[in-house]
Amino acid sequence: MAPRVSLICPMYNEQENVQVFLSSITAILESCQVTYEIICVNDGSDNTLERLLEQKPAYPALRILNLSRNFGKESALSAGLSVARGDAIIPIDADLQDPPEVIGRLIAEWEKGFDVVLARRVDRSSDHPAKRVSASLFYKLHNLISKQKIPENVGDFRLISRRVANEIVRLPENQRFLKGLFSWVGFKSTTIDYERAKRHAGTSTFNAWSLWNFALDGLTSFSTAPLRLWLYLGIFFSMMSFLMGCYIVFIALFKGIAVEGYASLIIVVLFFGGIQLTSIGVLGEYIGRIYLESKGRPSFIVEDEY
Ligand code: UDP
Ligand code: MG
């Protein structure tokens, strides 16, 4: 019989967290009095798989997916989603930053009839200030230029119903920005608040560079506004140059040609050089994504399932 709740936990170098994660999560799920399965996805990491296999006999509800290499958190979550059997599915981090106590509240809201229960962090003080500022900027920019808004301060930790999960698994794209996809599919949703904890052990793998790339993935998967920007800039500068041309002709006809000099010329040349390179760069971002997507490679490979 299918369990009522599936937990999906992506794990990359979480060997120190496996045991405490499993014991705290199981205690909470037992107290919720639901049938459940815990799907741990080992995303090509250190001794995490060995630790998981050691624990397996003690936890009959534990299923282990071992990916053939490190594919990244989005792919690990997608792998878990593709095998989850529960009526409700909860992605959760292995480092106990998503507090297990919140699971009971997620399930309670779902039982009221919501398909999506978002968990919003009210306190991000466990994050570095730079991460908080950049995250907030990202959400604002993303929501400004995309039709599908993603709620601020909501991570992957949430509850989704079976039918939401089915829709997400059905999406053919392999460059997956799950936070966006979760809100793209829609359905009736509600939000609860929680306080984000500190990492239990180990270190976060997301540094400034990977977060920047993650943000680019998010912006380019859900909006074509960055492409369109150049159309409007192009029209604006063409009009400006037309006006400037008229002005120069006027000056030449009525006041004689005055050579205005090197500075103004070089500024204009460099300015348009910069504009053109930036616009080619933005085009490149999208073309790169079309290229990767067109290969049709799967977003993960499962080596073994235990
Ligand atoms: N993770 C993963 N694959 C990766 C990187 C991270 O499966 O390539 C998992 C990691 O084990 C953890 C979750 O994703 O369960 C969140 O990662 P982390 O704590 O490093 O991110 P942060 O909390 O700093 O955003
Ligand atoms: Mg973390």
Side-chain angles (χ1 to χ4, degrees):
M1 221 178 71
R4 196 134 162 80
V5 176
S6 297
L7 260 82
I8 302 178
C9 177
M11 293 186 158
Y12 176 62
N13 294 349
E14 301 285 5
Q15 51 178 347
E16 296 154 73
N17 290 324
V18 167
Q19 196 179 358
V20 40
F21 169 77
L22 285 173
S23 64
S24 44
I25 214 87
T26 311
I28 293 291
L29 284 165
E30 290 293 340
S31 73
C32 293
Q33 299 192 324
V34 287
T35 53
Y36 62 90
E37 61 177 359
I38 304 171
I39 303 171
C40 288
V41 186
N42 175 38
D43 187 17
S45 43
D46 54 9
N47 293 319
T48 305
L49 178 65
E50 285 71 19
R51 295 290 95 77
L52 281 168
L53 290 172
E54 280 166 22
Q55 299 295 323
K56 173 101 174 127
Y59 297 97
L62 175 61
R63 294 171 69 193
I64 304 166
L65 278 193
N66 188 35
L67 301 189
S68 59
R69 64 169 171 84
N70 177 250
F71 282 91
K73 183 182 177 188
E74 307 294 299
S75 299
L77 272 178
S78 303
L81 270 178
S82 70
V83 301
R85 294 175 304 193
D87 299 328
I89 290 151
I90 304 176
I92 185 166
D93 285 359
D95 53 10
L96 295 174
Q97 283 199 282
D98 304 332
E101 307 79 66
V102 178
I103 292 174
R105 287 163 58 205
L106 291 175
I107 294 176
E109 290 298 315
W110 167 59
E111 284 174 339
K112 288 182 194 162
F114 291 102
D115 278 290
V116 179
V117 187
L118 304 170
R120 181 172 50 202
R121 314 159 189 182
V122 282
D123 173 20
R124 289 191 69 134
S125 59
S126 65
D127 284 334
H128 190 271
K131 187 169 174 183
R132 264 181 281 162
V133 173
S134 57
S136 155
L137 279 177
F138 166 74
Y139 286 117
K140 295 218 161 64
L141 180 61
H142 184 282
N143 292 343
L144 182 73
I145 65 175
S146 310
K147 273 207 208 95
Q148 266 66 48
K149 313 293 173 208
I150 50 178
E152 205 164 327
N153 291 328
V154 174
D156 294 319
F157 185 41
R158 63 184 67 201
L159 181 148
I160 57 175
S161 68
R162 177 78 266 157
R163 48 185 185 164
V164 175
N166 287 347
E167 294 307 324
I168 289 173
V169 169
R170 214 159 62 87
L171 296 174
E173 55 203 273
N174 56 9
Q175 310 288 307
R176 287 168 161 260
F177 181 68
L178 275 178
K179 242 191 261 193
L181 295 179
F182 281 142
S183 62
W184 183 84
V185 294
F187 291 96
K188 206 166 122 191
S189 76
T190 184
T191 307
I192 61 167
D193 290 332
Y194 77 100
E195 278 179 28
R196 191 154 172 84
K198 278 207 168 28
R199 207 172 216 289
H200 177 260
T203 48
S204 168
T205 43
F206 290 95
N207 54 33
W209 181 243
S210 62
L211 285 173
W212 163 251
N213 284 307
F214 188 55
L216 280 187
D217 280 345
L219 294 174
T220 51
S221 352
F222 284 91
S223 174
T224 51
L227 284 174
R228 208 172 287 158
L229 174 70
W230 306 103
L231 173 67
Y232 297 111
L233 274 182
I235 293 173
F236 175 74
F237 284 115
S238 307
M239 279 169 19
M240 293 301 284
S241 62
F242 178 74
L243 291 179
M244 182 141 178
C246 292
Y247 169 75
I248 290 171
V249 168
F250 177 83
I251 294 284
L253 284 179
F254 295 101
K255 298 202 169 159
I257 294 175
V259 179
E260 294 263 312
Y262 168 80
S264 54
L265 212 60
I266 198 75
I267 287 171
V268 172
V269 168
L270 289 179
F271 179 70
F272 283 100
I275 291 260
Q276 280 160 5
L277 282 179
T278 315
S279 63
I280 293 172
V282 172
L283 274 179
E285 276 297 319
Y286 282 88
I287 294 173
R289 279 168 173 76
I290 300 171
Y291 174 63
L292 289 177
E293 205 65 55
S294 70
K295 290 170 184 281
R297 290 179 185 152
S299 59
F300 57 85
I301 297 174
V302 178
E303 187 177 314
D304 278 311
E305 195 178 342
Y306 302 91

